[in-house]
């Protein structure tokens, strides 16, 4: 059975380009790190939640993804997999029955773009280490 594409207002923006320290996102332009969710996204400023490579992605970092209705979430670990993910973050997402994937950034982008074609997906993307 073929999946039906999401309408434009609910579709997550695609990542158009990804290289060390630079991402290009549909409708959002270029930047280093991004929070993407159904219907939009923004640049990801780690200072907002006190995120650091260790312990990594905080529960507060995924708030926008949950609030914008992501049914599946892709969390990137960075290009060298140095960005961690707090266990509490995974517990929060799974506790809300949100499917979660944690991948190296290039693989995370590929998976996210694939999912964005047919599902309400959110993602956090770190484009360096």
């Amino acid at each position: 059975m073929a999946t039906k594409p999401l309408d434009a207002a609910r579709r997550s923006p695609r990542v158009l380009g990804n290289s060390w320290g630079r991402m290009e996102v549909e409708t959002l332009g270029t930047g280093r790190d991004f929070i993407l969710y159904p219907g939009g996204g923004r640049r990801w400023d780690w200072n907002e939640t006190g995120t650091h490579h260790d312990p990594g992605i905080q529960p507060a970092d995924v708030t926008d993804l949950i609030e914008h209705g992501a049914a599946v979430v892709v969390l990137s670990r960075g290009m060298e997999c140095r960005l961690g993910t707090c266990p509490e973050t995974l517990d929060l997402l799974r506790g809300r029955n949100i499917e979660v994937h944690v991948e190296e950034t290039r693989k995370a982008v590929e998976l996210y773009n694939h999912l964005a074609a047919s599902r309400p997906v959110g993602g956090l993307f770190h484009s360096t280490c």
Side-chain angles (χ1 to χ4, degrees):
M1 181 170 94
T3 56
K4 186 171 105 177
L6 296 173
D7 65 77
R10 292 294 304 145
R11 193 172 59 78
S12 301
R14 292 188 51 221
V15 177
L16 303 174
N18 176 43
S19 60
W20 185 272
R22 184 179 186 277
M23 294 182 72
E24 182 179 354
V25 178
E26 180 179 49
T27 73
L28 299 175
T30 60
R32 181 177 169 145
D33 298 333
F34 280 93
I35 298 173
L36 304 176
Y37 44 75
R42 63 185 177 88
R43 285 176 179 78
W44 181 17
D45 179 357
W46 291 17
N47 292 319
E48 290 177 12
T49 58
T51 297
H52 299 283
H53 286 96
D54 184 29
I57 298 170
Q58 312 279 320
D61 291 318
V62 299
T63 302
D64 282 349
L65 310 180
I66 295 167
E67 289 176 354
H68 285 89
V72 59
V73 165
V74 179
L75 304 175
S76 77
R77 299 194 58 214
M79 300 290 235
E80 297 176 348
C81 294
R82 292 190 181 170
L83 176 60
T85 302
C86 294
E88 297 85 3
T89 304
L90 299 175
D91 292 344
L92 172 65
L93 292 167
R94 291 177 180 143
R96 293 180 182 245
N97 294 317
I98 297 172
E99 179 183 330
V100 62
H101 302 270
V102 181
E103 302 286 351
E104 177 272 330
T105 298
R106 288 171 290 256
K107 187 170 181 175
V109 165
E110 182 179 327
L111 176 60
Y112 169 89
N113 279 341
H114 173 75
L115 292 167
S118 61
R119 298 184 65 190
V121 62
L124 295 177
F125 298 96
H126 178 47
S127 69
T128 59
C129 53

